[in-house]
């Protein structure tokens, strides 16, 4: 690139305010300059950044299956506090709650039952897949977590909140998702994978967005649908 521009490494370095050895590493070792230096160098050489350093474009644009990955959070509690509210409020066709208790939703999303009920009344597919409080799997997990606010209590509190919806909401019970929670809002999904004896809020959490027909997002949707198909009705008065 320097030969074509009739410029030495030292001259380009002076114009980019970097060391000459840095420029030499760009040229001879294929080092990728910092973004500011890329812009400066491209301007000096009269070339587009993506022409000089196509690798920068490849790194910035996801081309594999991971392009559906919006974010990864070490803990569910690290999610932006507004995210669940924004996804619930923005969803139009699908709101699937696949948390074992989804208890935190009622704490973090104001008027959640009314909002979700209104979505269902407008025709959205709303589903709550909760844990089975009577299951031995639930009892065993409670012994591991050893917290006063146990799973059965949190499940009951969520059922009580669901009951506040102006529109009856479908609820089913299962103990098969004790270790992984999946929430789906239209083409966005949040997936929390539980670790050891930690609580749900400590689970590593993925934010996915649908970009293809058979990507990770679709796999988690299939997972939810399979669990839903095998789950028991949560309340006889709620329509399925």
């Amino acid at each position: 690139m320097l030969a074509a521009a009739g410029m030495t490494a030292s001259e380009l370095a002076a114009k980019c305010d970097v060391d000459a050895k840095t420029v030499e590493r760009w040229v001879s070792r294929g080092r990728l300059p910092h973004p500011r230096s890329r812009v400066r160098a491209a301007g000096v050489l009269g070339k587009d950044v993506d022409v000089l350093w196509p690798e920068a474009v490849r790194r910035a644009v996801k081309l594999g299956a991971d392009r559906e990955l919006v974010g990864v959070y070490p803990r569910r509690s690290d999610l932006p506090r507004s995210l669940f509210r924004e996804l619930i409020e923005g969803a139009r066709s699908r709101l699937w709650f696949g948390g074992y208790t989804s208890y935190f939703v009622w704490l973090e999303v104001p008027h959640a039952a009314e909002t979700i009920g209104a979505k269902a009344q407008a025709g959205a597919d709303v589903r709550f897949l909760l844990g089975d409080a009577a299951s031995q799997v639930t009892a065993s997990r409670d012994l591991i977590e050893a917290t006063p606010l146990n799973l059965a209590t949190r499940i009951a509190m969520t059922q009580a909140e669901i009951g506040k919806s102006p529109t009856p909401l479908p609820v089913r019970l299962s103990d098969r998702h004790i270790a992984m929670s999946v929430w789906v809002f239209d083409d966005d999904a949040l997936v929390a994978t539980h670790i050891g004896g930690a609580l749900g809020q400590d689970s590593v959490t993925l934010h996915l967005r649908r970009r293809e027909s058979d990507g990770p997002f679709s796999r988690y949707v299939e997972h939810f649908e399979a669990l839903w198909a095998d789950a028991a009705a949560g309340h006889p008065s709620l329509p399925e």
Side-chain angles (χ1 to χ4, degrees), residues 30-33 38 53-63 66:
R31 290 284 182 87
L32 188 64
R38 290 200 296 267
W53 292 285
E55 176 63 21
V57 177
R58 285 194 291 271
R59 291 185 185 182
V61 178
K62 294 181 176 180
L63 300 176
D66 67 335

PDB file of all heavy atoms in Angstrom, residues 30-33 38 53-63 66:
ATOM      1  N   GLY A  30       1.163  -7.858   8.891  1.00  0.00           N
ATOM      2  CA  GLY A  30      -0.292  -7.939   8.754  1.00  0.00           C
ATOM      3  C   GLY A  30      -1.054  -7.535  10.002  1.00  0.00           C
ATOM      4  O   GLY A  30      -2.203  -7.949  10.205  1.00  0.00           O
ATOM      5  N   ARG A  31      -0.409  -6.708  10.854  1.00  0.00           N
ATOM      6  CA  ARG A  31      -1.085  -6.249  12.065  1.00  0.00           C
ATOM      7  C   ARG A  31      -2.257  -5.330  11.706  1.00  0.00           C
ATOM      8  O   ARG A  31      -2.160  -4.506  10.794  1.00  0.00           O
ATOM      9  CB  ARG A  31      -0.105  -5.493  12.968  1.00  0.00           C
ATOM     10  CG  ARG A  31       0.951  -6.362  13.611  1.00  0.00           C
ATOM     11  CD  ARG A  31       0.376  -7.181  14.770  1.00  0.00           C
ATOM     12  NE  ARG A  31       1.396  -7.968  15.412  1.00  0.00           N
ATOM     13  CZ  ARG A  31       2.185  -7.520  16.401  1.00  0.00           C
ATOM     14  NH1 ARG A  31       2.062  -6.275  16.817  1.00  0.00           N
ATOM     15  NH2 ARG A  31       3.086  -8.312  16.944  1.00  0.00           N
ATOM     16  N   LEU A  32      -3.332  -5.470  12.447  1.00  0.00           N
ATOM     17  CA  LEU A  32      -4.509  -4.636  12.210  1.00  0.00           C
ATOM     18  C   LEU A  32      -4.411  -3.378  13.063  1.00  0.00           C
ATOM     19  O   LEU A  32      -4.355  -3.469  14.296  1.00  0.00           O
ATOM     20  CB  LEU A  32      -5.778  -5.415  12.561  1.00  0.00           C
ATOM     21  CG  LEU A  32      -7.115  -4.774  12.201  1.00  0.00           C
ATOM     22  CD1 LEU A  32      -7.243  -4.633  10.686  1.00  0.00           C
ATOM     23  CD2 LEU A  32      -8.258  -5.612  12.757  1.00  0.00           C
ATOM     24  N   PRO A  33      -4.363  -2.181  12.448  1.00  0.00           N
ATOM     25  CA  PRO A  33      -4.257  -0.947  13.237  1.00  0.00           C
ATOM     26  C   PRO A  33      -5.499  -0.718  14.100  1.00  0.00           C
ATOM     27  O   PRO A  33      -6.568  -1.266  13.845  1.00  0.00           O
ATOM     28  CB  PRO A  33      -4.140   0.143  12.159  1.00  0.00           C
ATOM     29  CG  PRO A  33      -3.763  -0.569  10.908  1.00  0.00           C
ATOM     30  CD  PRO A  33      -4.374  -1.918  11.003  1.00  0.00           C
ATOM     31  N   ARG A  38      -6.631   3.324  11.534  1.00  0.00           N
ATOM     32  CA  ARG A  38      -7.112   2.835  10.233  1.00  0.00           C
ATOM     33  C   ARG A  38      -7.754   3.970   9.444  1.00  0.00           C
ATOM     34  O   ARG A  38      -7.521   4.125   8.236  1.00  0.00           O
ATOM     35  CB  ARG A  38      -8.117   1.698  10.433  1.00  0.00           C
ATOM     36  CG  ARG A  38      -7.515   0.413  10.943  1.00  0.00           C
ATOM     37  CD  ARG A  38      -8.415  -0.783  10.658  1.00  0.00           C
ATOM     38  NE  ARG A  38      -9.688  -0.742  11.342  1.00  0.00           N
ATOM     39  CZ  ARG A  38      -9.930  -1.312  12.528  1.00  0.00           C
ATOM     40  NH1 ARG A  38      -8.943  -1.939  13.171  1.00  0.00           N
ATOM     41  NH2 ARG A  38     -11.105  -1.258  13.076  1.00  0.00           N
ATOM     42  N   TRP A  53      -7.875  -2.946   4.822  1.00  0.00           N
ATOM     43  CA  TRP A  53      -7.916  -3.961   5.893  1.00  0.00           C
ATOM     44  C   TRP A  53      -9.245  -4.713   5.873  1.00  0.00           C
ATOM     45  O   TRP A  53     -10.114  -4.503   6.727  1.00  0.00           O
ATOM     46  CB  TRP A  53      -7.700  -3.289   7.249  1.00  0.00           C
ATOM     47  CG  TRP A  53      -6.317  -2.752   7.408  1.00  0.00           C
ATOM     48  CD1 TRP A  53      -5.179  -3.461   7.634  1.00  0.00           C
ATOM     49  CD2 TRP A  53      -5.913  -1.370   7.321  1.00  0.00           C
ATOM     50  NE1 TRP A  53      -4.091  -2.623   7.699  1.00  0.00           N
ATOM     51  CE2 TRP A  53      -4.500  -1.330   7.521  1.00  0.00           C
ATOM     52  CE3 TRP A  53      -6.597  -0.175   7.117  1.00  0.00           C
ATOM     53  CZ2 TRP A  53      -3.783  -0.140   7.507  1.00  0.00           C
ATOM     54  CZ3 TRP A  53      -5.886   0.999   7.094  1.00  0.00           C
ATOM     55  CH2 TRP A  53      -4.495   1.022   7.282  1.00  0.00           C
ATOM     56  N   PRO A  54      -9.434  -5.565   4.908  1.00  0.00           N
ATOM     57  CA  PRO A  54     -10.689  -6.332   4.825  1.00  0.00           C
ATOM     58  C   PRO A  54     -10.921  -7.213   6.054  1.00  0.00           C
ATOM     59  O   PRO A  54     -12.056  -7.550   6.367  1.00  0.00           O
ATOM     60  CB  PRO A  54     -10.500  -7.179   3.557  1.00  0.00           C
ATOM     61  CG  PRO A  54      -9.019  -7.221   3.316  1.00  0.00           C
ATOM     62  CD  PRO A  54      -8.505  -5.910   3.807  1.00  0.00           C
ATOM     63  N   GLU A  55      -9.830  -7.568   6.746  1.00  0.00           N
ATOM     64  CA  GLU A  55      -9.970  -8.384   7.948  1.00  0.00           C
ATOM     65  C   GLU A  55     -10.804  -7.666   9.008  1.00  0.00           C
ATOM     66  O   GLU A  55     -11.543  -8.285   9.771  1.00  0.00           O
ATOM     67  CB  GLU A  55      -8.599  -8.737   8.528  1.00  0.00           C
ATOM     68  CG  GLU A  55      -8.635  -9.511   9.836  1.00  0.00           C
ATOM     69  CD  GLU A  55      -9.295 -10.866   9.696  1.00  0.00           C
ATOM     70  OE1 GLU A  55      -9.376 -11.386   8.553  1.00  0.00           O
ATOM     71  OE2 GLU A  55      -9.739 -11.405  10.720  1.00  0.00           O
ATOM     72  N   ALA A  56     -10.688  -6.332   9.038  1.00  0.00           N
ATOM     73  CA  ALA A  56     -11.472  -5.559  10.008  1.00  0.00           C
ATOM     74  C   ALA A  56     -12.958  -5.720   9.735  1.00  0.00           C
ATOM     75  O   ALA A  56     -13.778  -5.798  10.663  1.00  0.00           O
ATOM     76  CB  ALA A  56     -11.079  -4.080   9.944  1.00  0.00           C
ATOM     77  N   VAL A  57     -13.323  -5.767   8.463  1.00  0.00           N
ATOM     78  CA  VAL A  57     -14.729  -5.959   8.094  1.00  0.00           C
ATOM     79  C   VAL A  57     -15.190  -7.355   8.472  1.00  0.00           C
ATOM     80  O   VAL A  57     -16.283  -7.546   9.016  1.00  0.00           O
ATOM     81  CB  VAL A  57     -14.926  -5.721   6.580  1.00  0.00           C
ATOM     82  CG1 VAL A  57     -16.365  -5.979   6.181  1.00  0.00           C
ATOM     83  CG2 VAL A  57     -14.514  -4.307   6.210  1.00  0.00           C
ATOM     84  N   ARG A  58     -14.339  -8.348   8.214  1.00  0.00           N
ATOM     85  CA  ARG A  58     -14.712  -9.734   8.543  1.00  0.00           C
ATOM     86  C   ARG A  58     -14.918  -9.907  10.037  1.00  0.00           C
ATOM     87  O   ARG A  58     -15.802 -10.629  10.480  1.00  0.00           O
ATOM     88  CB  ARG A  58     -13.632 -10.693   8.035  1.00  0.00           C
ATOM     89  CG  ARG A  58     -13.651 -10.894   6.531  1.00  0.00           C
ATOM     90  CD  ARG A  58     -12.809 -12.091   6.133  1.00  0.00           C
ATOM     91  NE  ARG A  58     -11.387 -11.858   6.341  1.00  0.00           N
ATOM     92  CZ  ARG A  58     -10.588 -11.331   5.433  1.00  0.00           C
ATOM     93  NH1 ARG A  58     -11.073 -10.964   4.247  1.00  0.00           N
ATOM     94  NH2 ARG A  58      -9.302 -11.154   5.675  1.00  0.00           N
ATOM     95  N   ARG A  59     -14.117  -9.217  10.828  1.00  0.00           N
ATOM     96  CA  ARG A  59     -14.270  -9.333  12.278  1.00  0.00           C
ATOM     97  C   ARG A  59     -15.531  -8.627  12.767  1.00  0.00           C
ATOM     98  O   ARG A  59     -16.149  -9.047  13.746  1.00  0.00           O
ATOM     99  CB  ARG A  59     -13.049  -8.733  12.986  1.00  0.00           C
ATOM    100  CG  ARG A  59     -11.769  -9.526  12.790  1.00  0.00           C
ATOM    101  CD  ARG A  59     -10.645  -8.926  13.619  1.00  0.00           C
ATOM    102  NE  ARG A  59      -9.379  -9.593  13.372  1.00  0.00           N
ATOM    103  CZ  ARG A  59      -8.247  -9.274  14.008  1.00  0.00           C
ATOM    104  NH1 ARG A  59      -8.235  -8.322  14.929  1.00  0.00           N
ATOM    105  NH2 ARG A  59      -7.122  -9.924  13.724  1.00  0.00           N
ATOM    106  N   ALA A  60     -15.891  -7.554  12.098  1.00  0.00           N
ATOM    107  CA  ALA A  60     -17.045  -6.762  12.543  1.00  0.00           C
ATOM    108  C   ALA A  60     -18.363  -7.383  12.123  1.00  0.00           C
ATOM    109  O   ALA A  60     -19.379  -7.203  12.792  1.00  0.00           O
ATOM    110  CB  ALA A  60     -16.942  -5.340  11.994  1.00  0.00           C
ATOM    111  N   VAL A  61     -18.369  -8.091  10.999  1.00  0.00           N
ATOM    112  CA  VAL A  61     -19.610  -8.667  10.487  1.00  0.00           C
ATOM    113  C   VAL A  61     -19.612 -10.166  10.750  1.00  0.00           C
ATOM    114  O   VAL A  61     -18.752 -10.886  10.262  1.00  0.00           O
ATOM    115  CB  VAL A  61     -19.743  -8.408   8.963  1.00  0.00           C
ATOM    116  CG1 VAL A  61     -21.021  -9.049   8.438  1.00  0.00           C
ATOM    117  CG2 VAL A  61     -19.734  -6.916   8.685  1.00  0.00           C
ATOM    118  N   LYS A  62     -20.572 -10.634  11.538  1.00  0.00           N
ATOM    119  CA  LYS A  62     -20.659 -12.058  11.843  1.00  0.00           C
ATOM    120  C   LYS A  62     -21.233 -12.798  10.648  1.00  0.00           C
ATOM    121  O   LYS A  62     -22.285 -12.438  10.126  1.00  0.00           O
ATOM    122  CB  LYS A  62     -21.540 -12.279  13.073  1.00  0.00           C
ATOM    123  CG  LYS A  62     -20.943 -11.705  14.348  1.00  0.00           C
ATOM    124  CD  LYS A  62     -21.837 -11.981  15.532  1.00  0.00           C
ATOM    125  CE  LYS A  62     -21.198 -11.486  16.812  1.00  0.00           C
ATOM    126  NZ  LYS A  62     -22.046 -11.740  17.993  1.00  0.00           N
ATOM    127  N   LEU A  63     -20.539 -13.851  10.243  1.00  0.00           N
ATOM    128  CA  LEU A  63     -20.972 -14.606   9.080  1.00  0.00           C
ATOM    129  C   LEU A  63     -21.436 -16.018   9.435  1.00  0.00           C
ATOM    130  O   LEU A  63     -22.110 -16.659   8.657  1.00  0.00           O
ATOM    131  CB  LEU A  63     -19.816 -14.701   8.067  1.00  0.00           C
ATOM    132  CG  LEU A  63     -19.294 -13.363   7.541  1.00  0.00           C
ATOM    133  CD1 LEU A  63     -18.093 -13.598   6.639  1.00  0.00           C
ATOM    134  CD2 LEU A  63     -20.382 -12.615   6.798  1.00  0.00           C
ATOM    135  N   ASP A  66     -23.156 -17.747  14.843  1.00  0.00           N
ATOM    136  CA  ASP A  66     -23.185 -16.862  16.001  1.00  0.00           C
ATOM    137  C   ASP A  66     -23.698 -15.464  15.663  1.00  0.00           C
ATOM    138  O   ASP A  66     -23.784 -14.614  16.546  1.00  0.00           O
ATOM    139  CB  ASP A  66     -21.792 -16.768  16.635  1.00  0.00           C
ATOM    140  CG  ASP A  66     -20.779 -16.065  15.752  1.00  0.00           C
ATOM    141  OD1 ASP A  66     -20.967 -16.066  14.523  1.00  0.00           O
ATOM    142  OD2 ASP A  66     -19.808 -15.523  16.293  1.00  0.00           O
TER     143      ASP A  66
END
